[in-house]
Amino acid sequence: MLSCYLKYHLFRQVRVFEARSEEEKEHVFNFRYRIYHEEYKMIEPGYDHQRKILKDELDTHKQIILTYTVTKQAISSTCRSHYFQQTACPREMDGKYGLPELSIPSQHTLALSERLAVDKNIRGKYLAMVQTVYIATRLIRDLSTYFSFASCAPSLLRHYSRLGYRPYTSKLLQFDDRLEIPIAVIPDLKFLKESGSPVYPLMKKYCDPALLKQYEHYRPDILKNYLTQDASLDDLASDAFLKRRKSFFYHLKRPTADFLIRNGFFLTLPENGVLYTEKEHQQCQFVVISGQLILSKRGHTLIQLHAGDIVGEFGTFHDNYCRCVTVKAISDAQLLVLPRGILRKLYCFDTQLYANFTESYLKSIALREKKLICKLISSQR
């Protein structure tokens, strides 16, 4: 609990501005453009390449909080939160974000927080937390808004949980170039406290006790093992990934496999769902538990992935890694998500298990590359 209060009071000391004038907003939209388009190459509606800004319809609403911070006389981070009455919830958001699954009492104000962008030179330090504290203060204390929604890439889910966000629905948000998980801050004091979220002091002080009691035991394990972290090989419904001699999982020892499963979480990718695309930035790897996926580049299929195969592993070895292929499901697939940092954690836990992971990884990659080379040679004959 102490860490929650310490974070809250510490990050409140960093000055956050609200963009109210047209000049301020123009600078914020330009900063967004640099991050989303020039750096991340994300496909987003609202680009104005002539003015070099990223602006969408929500930016014209009156009920938004558009924030930014300044470092060395330049914008270093920004975020936007759109708040609205539940009865005025956009139909598109209601369906995409699966809001009915939360059973939110009527007449409550909701918020959609998005467009978080941080300068790459100070990314991963404290500004995301600063933005969260400021916006949460405005929403919870000033606007009595206790439900805030957002979405994030699978690789960022653990980071967002430290801010107080958690998955709540089995729905996934499929964009043109990426897949994201809907997440929310809700009046669940136990989760906020356990995650060390700076939102905890605000929610405890200002939220209606009856509402806190309603969500006191809200523990849906939507993403299997994300909250519990106690799964093992025995808990998996399918063991197909253990039977393919060429697969990554086939060569793993039981303790190594159990460690990876316990420290990852599971994601169900529907048929035709796109896991990630070329030029997308992600920093986690995925193991196929069941189903099939294809790797393609510029529309040409390179290879097919089966149960037990690993994909996206290079993203864990590089900062701000840019994907060079597109991964798409050709059938419903269950994936084990291995966040960045899991290898360091495995090394600290047991060096022999780390060696087993490395050996299995190298074998599977060698077999996959051999298969790809043979395919390329045969296609040129």
Side-chain angles (χ1 to χ4, degrees):
M1 185 188 300
L2 179 62
S3 64
C4 297
Y5 283 94
L6 183 61
K7 288 178 185 177
Y8 172 71
H9 290 290
L10 180 64
F11 291 119
R12 278 197 66 188
Q13 305 308 311
V14 181
R15 192 171 184 186
V16 179
F17 302 89
E18 288 192 35
R20 292 189 171 91
S21 69
E22 291 302 318
E23 183 181 2
E24 286 179 302
K25 292 179 181 179
E26 189 78 7
H27 287 306
V28 168
F29 300 153
N30 176 257
F31 179 77
R32 269 192 210 161
Y33 181 90
R34 296 203 312 269
I35 302 298
Y36 279 75
H37 177 68
E38 294 181 354
E39 182 181 350
Y40 281 107
K41 312 296 182 185
M42 296 173 73
I43 300 175
E44 292 284 345
Y47 284 133
D48 185 333
H49 297 294
Q50 186 173 2
R51 296 167 59 192
K52 291 190 174 182
I53 63 172
L54 171 55
K55 177 182 178 181
D56 57 38
E57 184 181 352
L58 281 182
D59 289 312
T60 62
H61 283 235
K62 292 183 178 180
Q63 293 181 308
I64 66 167
I65 303 171
L66 185 60
T67 60
Y68 67 95
T69 59
V70 175
T71 303
K72 296 181 180 179
Q73 299 182 339
I75 292 180
S76 53
S77 71
T78 180
C79 190
R80 180 188 70 197
S81 188
H82 172 224
Y83 56 94
F84 48 88
Q85 289 295 322
Q86 186 178 355
T87 53
C89 176
R91 184 178 301 177
E92 181 183 359
M93 178 184 170
D94 192 42
K96 284 174 60 177
Y97 281 80
L99 301 191
E101 296 185 36
L102 273 176
S103 302
I104 302 173
S106 58
Q107 304 304 319
H108 269 276
T109 305
L110 311 180
L112 176 62
S113 298
E114 53 185 356
R115 298 299 191 201
L116 175 64
V118 180
D119 186 272
K120 64 180 180 180
N121 295 318
I122 47 179
R123 193 171 296 151
K125 294 185 177 179
Y126 61 92
L127 287 180
M129 195 76 76
V130 168
Q131 291 282 356
T132 299
V133 167
Y134 183 87
I135 289 179
T137 302
R138 291 280 282 111
L139 291 175
I140 296 174
R141 184 192 65 187
D142 302 340
L143 300 169
S144 300
T145 302
Y146 310 117
F147 298 88
S148 181
F149 298 88
S151 64
C152 70
S155 58
L156 297 176
L157 190 55
R158 296 289 184 194
H159 298 284
Y160 273 85
S161 69
R162 298 189 188 103
L163 304 178
Y165 286 93
R166 44 99 68 82
Y168 61 92
T169 175
S170 57
K171 293 180 179 292
L172 298 174
L173 297 180
Q174 183 67 70
F175 295 90
D176 291 334
D177 59 341
R178 64 193 185 278
L179 180 80
E180 292 192 354
I181 300 172
I183 51 179
V185 172
I186 65 175
D188 180 356
L189 289 183
K190 184 178 179 181
F191 176 82
L192 294 174
K193 182 179 177 181
E194 289 176 350
S195 61
S197 170
V199 178
Y200 173 81
L202 288 164
M203 198 70 78
K204 184 178 181 181
K205 182 176 181 179
Y206 294 105
C207 188
D208 181 5
L211 194 60
L212 291 175
K213 189 171 182 61
Q214 179 177 340
Y215 289 90
E216 185 177 6
H217 301 290
Y218 186 78
R219 290 292 181 279
D221 199 4
I222 298 299
L223 296 180
K224 185 179 178 183
N225 199 51
Y226 174 69
L227 292 176
T228 56
Q229 294 189 320
D230 59 0
S232 66
L233 273 175
D234 298 329
D235 299 313
L236 302 185
S238 172
D239 62 352
F241 57 93
L242 295 174
K243 298 177 180 178
R244 291 182 58 249
R245 298 178 65 89
K246 296 181 180 180
S247 76
F248 163 74
F249 246 91
Y250 181 85
H251 302 283
L252 288 180
K253 295 179 180 178
R254 174 64 185 258
T256 311
D258 282 340
F259 180 91
L260 296 178
I261 292 172
R262 189 168 61 251
N263 289 276
F265 60 90
F266 295 91
L267 189 69
T268 300
L269 186 65
E271 183 178 357
N272 295 322
V274 178
L275 185 60
Y276 57 79
T277 58
E278 301 163 51
K279 297 184 179 180
E280 183 189 348
H281 294 255
Q282 271 204 19
Q283 294 182 323
C284 63
Q285 50 193 323
F286 308 87
V287 178
V288 183
I289 301 299
S290 63
Q292 295 180 330
L293 298 89
I294 55 171
L295 264 71
S296 63
K297 188 172 182 66
R298 298 174 185 172
H300 299 288
T301 300
L302 300 177
I303 199 171
Q304 191 166 319
L305 300 176
H306 303 274
D309 288 332
I310 188 170
V311 64
E313 63 280 358
F314 293 141
T316 62
F317 303 137
H318 303 274
D319 290 327
N320 208 19
Y321 179 72
C322 185
R323 301 294 192 186
C324 57
V325 295
T326 296
V327 178
K328 182 179 180 180
I330 56 176
S331 66
D332 290 347
Q334 186 183 40
L335 307 175
L336 172 63
V337 183
L338 302 178
R340 191 182 188 199
I342 195 171
L343 296 186
R344 181 182 299 175
K345 193 173 181 180
L346 177 61
Y347 180 83
C348 295
F349 178 73
D350 192 321
T351 54
Q352 290 185 342
L353 298 187
Y354 179 82
N356 175 234
F357 175 95
T358 305
E359 180 185 8
S360 179
Y361 166 71
L362 292 175
K363 284 182 179 179
S364 64
I365 291 299
L367 291 169
R368 192 170 75 189
E369 295 301 319
K370 180 180 178 181
K371 182 179 178 181
L372 180 58
I373 291 171
C374 291
K375 181 179 179 180
L376 292 174
I377 292 174
S378 62
S379 65
Q380 293 177 357
R381 289 178 178 174

